[in-house]
Amino acid sequence: MKIYTKTGDTGQTSLFGGDRLSKDDARIEAYGTVDELNAFVGLLRDHLVDEEVRVLLLTIQNRLFTLGAHLATAPGRQSVAPDLKDEDIQLLEQAMDRMDEVLAPLRNFILPGGHAAISYAHLARTICRRAERRVVSLVQEDEAVEMIIRYLNRLSDYFFVLARYVAHLYKVEEVIWKGRG
């Protein structure tokens, strides 16, 4: 099977179900950003040694792939369910709570940096926030998108806490924002 089809050469792409859209359509932008996030989570996972975190990141990648497939399906067509449950959000919250137990209370704004893995976690957070913004534009078209937005919102929080946790694990001092004043 050839990977190239040449059907996108004119700036159009197909959704699951056959509908064709411009590659700059809001739906394409939304699932493309989720795909970008998924790829970046893989890079982050590759740079971490904590096995519990690596397992959760793989679970997150699987959720992101499925919700991306949902977003890539034309509205009104039979869709792959976004495969998100309240338990998925609770899993992220529980992971954040566990990490928070060993972290110093947050008293300052934190800047990305200090170690590549910390910066990768912050990059994942910002890509996740962008994916959330892109998906928000689809709410009127798709009821299941509300759960996706909740998940992405919590996931970006998870990446922030993970960045702090990685700094703790690697014994790296967090980079504190210092204003001019």
Side-chain angles (χ1 to χ4, degrees):
M1 175 178 139
K2 292 183 179 182
I3 193 70
Y4 59 91
T5 62
K6 302 181 184 181
T7 60
D9 290 353
T10 61
Q12 298 273 310
T13 192
S14 294
L15 296 174
F16 293 138
D19 294 12
R20 295 200 50 85
L21 295 174
S22 173
K23 289 184 177 184
D24 67 352
D25 184 87
R27 180 164 294 278
I28 308 305
E29 186 65 33
Y31 79 72
T33 306
V34 168
D35 185 38
E36 180 184 350
L37 173 61
N38 201 339
F40 210 89
V41 172
L43 179 66
L44 173 60
R45 187 170 49 86
D46 289 344
H47 281 82
L48 297 176
V49 294
D50 184 289
E51 191 57 28
E52 185 177 338
V53 172
R54 289 174 49 79
V55 167
L56 181 53
L57 289 174
L58 184 59
T59 299
I60 289 167
Q61 285 188 279
N62 280 292
R63 293 294 91 63
L64 289 172
F65 193 89
T66 306
L67 72 89
H70 175 79
L71 293 170
T73 302
R77 302 275 184 162
Q78 181 64 23
S79 170
V80 173
D83 194 28
L84 290 176
K85 300 178 168 72
D86 286 328
E87 294 84 39
D88 296 311
I89 293 171
Q90 292 167 2
L91 182 66
L92 296 173
E93 291 171 346
Q94 291 164 357
M96 285 186 278
D97 291 344
R98 279 191 306 276
M99 291 185 289
D100 269 335
E101 288 176 4
V102 299
L103 297 175
L106 185 61
R107 300 195 192 292
N108 300 289
F109 288 108
I110 306 295
L111 298 176
H115 188 282
I118 296 167
S119 295
Y120 289 150
H122 280 290
L123 274 168
R125 173 185 57 80
T126 63
I127 295 168
C128 189
R129 287 285 190 212
R130 181 163 32 95
E132 180 185 7
R133 291 190 304 270
R134 298 298 185 261
V135 172
V136 163
S137 65
L138 303 178
V139 168
Q140 297 166 349
E141 299 178 29
D142 188 340
E143 294 173 13
V145 168
E146 291 179 26
M147 177 63 108
I148 293 171
I149 293 168
R150 284 182 51 218
Y151 183 77
L152 291 172
N153 183 269
R154 205 69 83 255
L155 183 58
S156 65
D157 294 337
Y158 169 80
F159 289 130
F160 177 78
V161 176
L162 179 60
R164 296 194 69 220
Y165 183 68
V166 170
H168 170 79
L169 287 178
Y170 293 2
K171 298 180 182 357
V172 173
E173 189 174 326
E174 291 180 305
V175 180
I176 306 298
W177 171 73
K178 296 177 183 166
R180 293 179 195 239

